[in-house]
Amino acid sequence: MVLVNGTFETMAKNWWTLAPVLADAGCCVYAFDHGVTHVVPATGPVRDSAIELGTFVDRVLGATGAQEVDLVGHSQGGMMPRWYIGFPGGAAKVDDLVGIAPSSHGTQGLIVRDDDGEGSALAHADQGVAYRTCAACIDQQAGSAFMRELASIPDTVPGVDYTVISTEHDEIVTPDTSQALDGPEDQVTNLVLQDLCARDPFAHDQSPNDPVVHQIVLDALDHDGPASKDVSPTC
């Protein structure tokens, strides 16, 4: 299994609660930092990060002898693998993709603009910092050149199972409904946390630390196909 972190996140911060849960469940867990520019992780062009993912997946397969990996990603990390799966032929090496608050079709919100009016960065809500040299931020704007390229292929590729976990409180990837993927019912499960646990307070940044999310991820990885549409986590 490979964990794929989101924009501005390190693997250590993004997965400090989920990685132990997966390891305790018997998963062989790998993670890496991608897209590092100006010492800030996951800010490089999304295509470049997807190529880095492919290289890392090959290393994991070589080290383990496995034929496929499961991918669990947060935010950009839940969307970027779709480029790897759909364009460089990564589908043959991926069994499951689980996206936690993924920027599946880009975001319409939290764009910081330069004085000349050009969109320049995606504001990181928790740190309150706008990164003005963030190609990944530009790529993740709804309607960007990258998003148009990603939209040129179907949301799903045969042979890969997809689970999307969204929260109605998402303030980064908006609207939150844009995170859902379109595909066959036996291949794609789109879940909204508040449909399962009405009072779930988790928003975008901390969603990988939500115990409810942990239960859904484990369900998605526990059987063939995506997460069960009738999954009943403990709230």
Side-chain angles (χ1 to χ4, degrees):
M1 166 179 306
V2 175
L3 304 179
V4 190
N5 46 286
T7 311
F8 307 131
E9 300 282 4
T10 65
M11 60 180 174
K13 178 182 180 296
N14 224 165
W15 307 116
W16 71 281
T17 61
L18 181 56
V21 169
L22 295 172
D24 289 344
C27 299
C28 187
V29 182
Y30 292 83
F32 71 117
D33 287 326
H34 61 85
V36 179
T37 57
H38 307 285
V39 305
V40 183
T43 54
V46 176
R47 293 179 194 83
D48 293 352
S49 288
I51 292 170
E52 291 181 43
L53 170 62
T55 300
F56 190 77
V57 166
D58 287 344
R59 289 176 57 194
V60 171
L61 295 178
T64 62
Q67 298 300 307
E68 295 178 314
V69 298
D70 294 320
L71 301 176
V72 178
H74 174 230
S75 192
Q76 179 192 159
M79 172 275 294
M80 174 265 280
R82 289 181 44 233
W83 195 92
Y84 163 65
I85 290 169
F87 286 102
K93 302 175 184 179
V94 177
D95 184 24
D96 276 88
L97 172 59
V98 181
I100 303 170
S103 52
S104 301
H105 303 103
T107 178
Q108 296 181 16
L110 292 178
I111 302 297
V112 176
R113 297 190 177 276
D114 286 324
D115 293 338
D116 61 5
E118 294 297 321
S120 60
L122 184 70
H124 189 295
D126 282 359
Q127 295 181 1
V129 175
Y131 291 88
R132 295 184 177 275
T133 52
C134 177
C137 302
I138 305 305
D139 283 347
Q140 288 176 94
Q141 292 183 43
S144 70
F146 175 80
M147 281 297 163
R148 292 196 301 272
E149 179 183 14
L150 189 60
S152 70
I153 61 173
D155 281 2
T156 61
V157 173
V160 181
D161 295 316
Y162 299 80
T163 298
V164 173
I165 307 168
S166 304
T167 170
E168 291 180 349
H169 303 310
D170 201 312
E171 77 288 18
I172 301 294
V173 180
T174 60
D176 60 275
T177 53
S178 70
Q179 300 172 23
L181 297 177
D182 185 33
E185 288 190 2
D186 61 350
Q187 189 184 7
V188 181
T189 296
N190 295 299
L191 297 171
V192 179
L193 288 174
Q194 288 72 28
D195 289 343
L196 305 172
C197 298
R199 297 183 179 180
D200 192 306
F202 278 81
H204 183 89
D205 185 67
Q206 294 299 314
S207 54
N209 300 323
D210 185 349
V212 176
V213 170
H214 297 176
Q215 295 172 67
I216 298 170
V217 172
L218 288 173
D219 180 82
L221 302 177
D222 186 52
H223 52 78
D224 289 338
S228 302
K229 290 178 173 55
D230 57 355
V231 62
S232 298
T234 300
C235 297

